[in-house]
Amino acid sequence: MKIDPPAPSPTPLHRTPATGVAAPATGTEAVERPKEAAQASAHVHSMPAAVGGSDFNAARVAAIREDIRAGRYEIRPERIADGLLASVRDLLDPKGRE
């Protein structure tokens, strides 16, 4: 039986504006990336409010997180499958297209 060597640990990547090519972040760049990510995240979360509404329900998300932590969250594959099938039907429905 052959056992592969362990994969290398992930290295944070960032895009350079001039080339647009991803390169590993090193030194202080790696430390500063979480700050930029937090700012971007805050900006993204403020966007739905700026356009007049949001489908985000913070109380529901908090309840789901707590259920996951407590081991009470129940995944129902049949409900997921039904939702996916309904979505595909909507996409394929010629009546819905103009």
Side-chain angles (χ1 to χ4, degrees):
M1 172 167 52
K2 180 179 177 184
I3 299 176
D4 293 331
S9 63
T11 304
L13 298 177
H14 71 282
R15 288 198 181 265
T16 57
T19 63
V21 176
T26 59
T28 58
E29 293 174 347
V31 173
E32 293 172 359
R33 301 303 292 165
K35 294 175 192 171
E36 292 174 15
Q39 290 171 347
S41 177
H43 178 69
V44 168
H45 286 293
S46 69
M47 290 173 68
V51 292
S54 173
D55 291 336
F56 179 76
N57 183 339
R60 177 77 176 131
V61 171
I64 291 171
R65 281 186 181 157
E66 181 56 35
D67 286 346
I68 291 170
R69 280 190 199 112
R72 294 185 305 254
Y73 188 74
E74 184 179 321
I75 297 174
R76 296 182 294 197
E78 64 279 351
R79 186 171 176 195
I80 294 169
D82 290 343
L84 287 171
L85 289 171
S87 177
V88 170
R89 284 186 192 111
D90 288 344
L91 291 171
L92 297 175
D93 184 18
K95 297 175 191 174
R97 296 183 187 170
E98 293 181 24

